[in-house]
Every structure is written in structure tokens, then in C-alpha cells.
Amino acid sequence: MHNDALDGLTDYPFDRLRALLNGVDAPADIDPVIMSLGEPQHASPPILAETVAAHAGDWGRYPPVAGTPDLLAAIDEWLTRRYSLSGGTIQQDHNIVAVSGTREALYMAGDICIPKDKGGAQPVVLIPNPFYQVYVGAAVMSRAEPVYLSATPETGFLPDLGALDIETLKRTALAYICSPANPQGTIASLDYLKTALELARKYDFVLAVDECYAEIYDAAPPPGALEAAGQLGGALDHLLVFHSLSKRSSAPGLRSGFVAGDADLIAKLKTLRNYGGATMPVPLLAASAALWRDEAHVRTNRDLYRQKFDIADKLLSGQFGYYRPEGGFYLWLDVGDGEAAAKKLWGQAGVKVIPGAYLARLDRDGFNPGIPYIRVALVQEPGTIGDALSRIRDTLA
Ligand SMILES: Cc1ncc(COP(=O)(O)O)c(C=O)c1O
């Protein structure tokens, strides 16, 4: 006996990658480089460990579910500054909840936003294609229909919300957008975000904007959905945004992020977390506040990614459809057949990447937009990245 919705959770990309590479050995004489995982490898900022140490007396306290007032204030200050919000747009007790990494919260968005039916029909969850896998977990476990919106060069690597039919929009309960997008690095413009929010309000669905890569950008800071809401008058209804310290502060092991937006949905998320959420320990809440208040380490982190994109420019320009992404830290390379390339790169060059097909699904037209691609995460130090990208270039040439 089990919850049969779980049977819909198949095809986790890293399980498929393991199966693909089963029996393929990396060459014994070179160091393997794992570029399949988006796990930042830069040193985490010293204030993290220092703040945790300074709060050593707090391990005996149960943490408040939504986060400490100090952390919520730090997040409020950061959001207001980062997105030029008018004072009062965010009320820290009503519009923010701290979460143990955004993965959990993106999943829980399904639990709080998807009704049993919408207008008598099965609810729909709109998912950019390719996508971060948790979005599908949320849709499947809430027994909604995932509708994959292929984000290709033709759509500017963002879902074309304008192409959706009215019947689908009426059934939509939740729509995920990721900006900067994982894996393509595209940044949604303010106009795109405003249009998406207006659509959500018109058809009464929740817009969930995953801004977990918001601080890893090349030229200009990506606009955010709260900024879009600010420009539409400042109301936050129908909107949830997700931010994380994992990429911003190179601290994926801290498990710290937050959700901000619609007060009613934030209250529901707090209720759900009261019953079944993992709270963040008080020393980690304190460290999170220190990190949101510090920008110096974020600038250093961003510069390190820029250095790596400079290296990629030199090594890969003109090949594999290479472009320098606007944000995030992935390369999305068109190699013709992503699965064949991933196998060859592991077997011949000791470089592990993930086939794009595993990060996407068949859309309603029976098209998987990831098939020709590989995703390459530039998470190691620049020296390792230069070596690995040369191996990729030489092996696939
Ligand atoms: C697009 C996207 N969203 C969310 C997450 C989750 O990040 P975390 O749970 O570490 O906050 C990731 C992690 O790789 C991601 O790539």
C-alpha cells in the first residue's frame, strides 16, 4: 500500500545519467571533473562559519517556523534594496517565510496552490521545458497535469505564455518560471514578468518565480517578479518568488532560502510547514541573516563565474551553438545528440555532463527540446574549468 501518485515520479535525471554511464569508465590517467551537478564549489564566505560559531549556545532552541525576526528583517531590507521596492511593499511578518532551501518550498508550492479540481476539471501546472525537476514533483504529487512549455532558441529560451490556449489557462493552478533559467541562463525581462503576473491574475493561478540564480549574472542584475508586482501597483496577490543562498553565497549545504509574496499563500505555507516542514536551526538562521546583509562576498562569487565565462568564450566560441549566458552558471551546448556526447565525454575525457533530454520532457507536440543539448555546470575553480572545457572541445570536435 502506498500513495500511487508517487508512481508518476520517474525519470529523475541523475538516475538516468547513472544508467547511461553504467559500464562506461572514465580514463584512469586523468582526473575526472563532475560538471553534471549544479553544486557550487567556491569557498563559502567566512562569515557563515563565524556566525554559526557565535551562536553555539542556540542549538538547544527549537527554531521559529517562519524564521527569526532578525532574518526576516534582513530579507526585507535585501528585497527592498535589490528590487527598488517602495517601503511597505513587503511586510516581513506576512509576506516572507524562511525555508530550508528552495527545493522544499518549490515542492510545497504544489501542496498549497493546487486545488483538487479547477472549474470542475483537472488542474494544470505550467512548467518551462527544460526545467528544475522539483516542479514536476509538485504537479505529480498534487495529481495535476504538468503542461511542458518548450523554451527553445525560437522562444528566446523562455516559455511562450502567449501561445497558451484559453482552456489550458482556465485549468491552470500554478505556473513556474525560472529566471535566470536553469539550464539556459535566460533572464526574463520586466515586461515578461509583468505579463505573466497579469495572466495569473486574469485566470486565477499562482505564478511561482524561481529566482534562485538571481545573483549570478553577467552584465546587469536580473529584474525580479516582486519588481514587476511593484510596477503593477504593489499588490502581491497570485505571486510567490523563491530565493536561495545556495548559489548566491556558494553555500548549498546551508539549506537556506526564502519565499516571498502573496500574504494568504505565505500564511498557508507557514501552516503546512508547521505540520510537515523542516525548520532551519537558529545558528543557521543567524548565519543566513549575516549573508543576506553582506554583498561583498556575492560580488567576489559573481566575478569568479565571469572569469569562467571568459575562459568558455575563448575555448568554445563558434562551436556547439555556444553563447555566453546572461545568468546562472551553466553552459547549454548544442552537440547534436546530448546522450551520445555525455557518454563519449565520460568515457574518453573523464568529464561528466548531463544530457539535455534528461532535463526536459515531451511537450504536447511530442517534442523534447533538450535532445541536442548537454548541460555543463561551471562550478569548480577557473583552472579546473579551463582544463575540462578544453577536453570537451577536443573530444567533441
Ligand atoms: C532552478 C533551481 N531552483 C531551485 C534550486 C534549489 O536550490 P536550493 O534548494 O539549494 O535552494 C536549484 C538547485 O539546483 C535550481 O537549479
Side-chain angles (χ1 to χ4, degrees):
M1 174 76 104
H2 68 284
N3 178 351
D4 60 357
L6 274 164
D7 300 339
L9 294 185
T10 55
D11 291 348
Y12 201 71
F14 296 102
D15 294 336
R16 292 180 71 189
L17 182 61
R18 254 187 301 281
L20 178 77
L21 301 183
N22 190 16
V24 181
D25 292 322
D29 54 340
I30 37 179
D31 285 338
V33 185
I34 308 303
M35 307 179 94
S36 45
L37 270 181
E39 181 184 62
Q41 304 284 306
H42 303 167
S44 48
I47 45 167
L48 199 173
E50 287 161 14
T51 313
V52 172
H55 285 264
D58 287 331
W59 290 106
R61 291 171 57 200
Y62 274 118
V65 169
T68 51
D70 182 53
L71 172 58
L72 297 178
I75 293 170
D76 183 359
E77 286 154 24
W78 182 79
L79 281 173
T80 302
R81 191 173 65 242
R82 171 68 173 79
Y83 295 114
S84 310
L85 303 176
S86 325
T89 304
I90 299 285
Q91 293 184 14
Q92 66 187 59
D93 291 334
H94 300 292
N95 300 112
I96 308 172
V97 57
V99 292
S100 308
T102 49
R103 174 194 180 99
E104 172 203 84
L106 285 160
Y107 173 76
M108 285 188 169
D111 291 334
I112 60 170
C113 300
I114 305 174
K116 196 156 170 278
D117 66 81
K118 192 170 175 213
Q122 186 189 18
V124 156
V125 176
L126 303 178
I127 297 179
N129 198 27
F131 55 91
Y132 180 56
Q133 299 301 304
V134 173
Y135 311 157
V136 169
V140 166
M141 293 308 290
S142 292
R143 298 174 194 271
E145 180 194 349
V147 170
Y148 301 103
L149 306 179
S150 289
T152 61
E154 291 72 38
T155 67
F157 280 136
L158 284 172
D160 181 1
L161 299 175
L164 280 163
D165 61 279
I166 302 227
E167 190 269 337
T168 302
L169 285 165
K170 284 185 176 160
R171 284 205 289 132
T172 299
L174 177 63
Y176 289 100
I177 299 287
C178 185
S179 174
N182 171 4
Q184 307 99 320
T186 328
I187 292 176
S189 68
L190 211 43
D191 278 347
Y192 182 98
L193 294 169
K194 281 198 253 182
T195 305
L197 184 54
E198 284 173 329
L199 205 62
R201 287 174 176 161
K202 181 166 176 193
Y203 290 98
D204 193 20
F205 63 82
V206 176
L207 183 68
V209 187
D210 181 350
E211 299 183 350
C212 143
Y213 293 90
E215 295 299 87
I216 313 295
Y217 55 83
D218 191 25
L226 289 175
E227 205 172 347
Q231 292 201 1
L232 290 174
L236 302 182
D237 62 286
H238 294 84
L239 177 64
L240 292 174
V241 300
F242 299 77
H243 280 270
S244 173
L245 288 173
S246 299
K247 323 288 178 185
R248 175 184 182 270
S249 299
S250 215
L254 175 61
R255 310 308 305 130
S256 178
F258 68 83
V259 187
D262 187 318
D264 180 43
L265 296 171
I266 293 290
K268 289 183 166 56
L269 182 53
K270 286 184 196 171
T271 302
L272 182 64
R273 285 174 50 74
N274 256 331
Y275 281 86
T279 48
M280 226 188 306
V282 176
L284 304 190
L285 291 168
S288 303
L291 290 171
W292 286 113
R293 289 196 169 106
D294 183 66
E295 292 294 340
H297 77 277
V298 187
R299 280 192 290 271
T300 308
N301 197 28
R302 202 159 37 234
D303 282 345
L304 213 43
Y305 286 113
R306 287 191 183 116
Q307 277 179 42
K308 295 190 272 188
F309 285 117
D310 289 345
I311 294 170
D313 284 353
K314 286 205 184 84
L315 292 171
L316 299 178
S317 284
Q319 298 160 87
F320 317 120
Y322 172 80
Y323 61 94
R324 185 177 174 119
E326 296 173 296
F329 50 55
Y330 300 103
L331 300 182
W332 187 235
L333 300 180
D334 182 348
V335 293
D337 177 344
E339 265 191 337
K343 227 168 154 171
K344 194 170 175 189
L345 285 172
W346 184 238
Q348 296 183 17
V351 176
K352 198 178 276 186
V353 300
I354 190 148
Y358 296 2
L359 302 171
R361 297 279 169 97
L362 292 179
D363 65 15
R364 280 175 162 176
D365 297 326
F367 169 66
N368 178 329
I371 286 174
Y373 293 90
I374 51 171
R375 189 190 75 175
V376 183
L378 303 191
V379 287
Q380 290 86 356
E381 298 301 319
T384 308
I385 293 297
D387 173 42
L389 295 184
S390 303
R391 287 195 231 164
I392 292 179
R393 181 198 55 195
D394 297 345
T395 309
L396 299 182

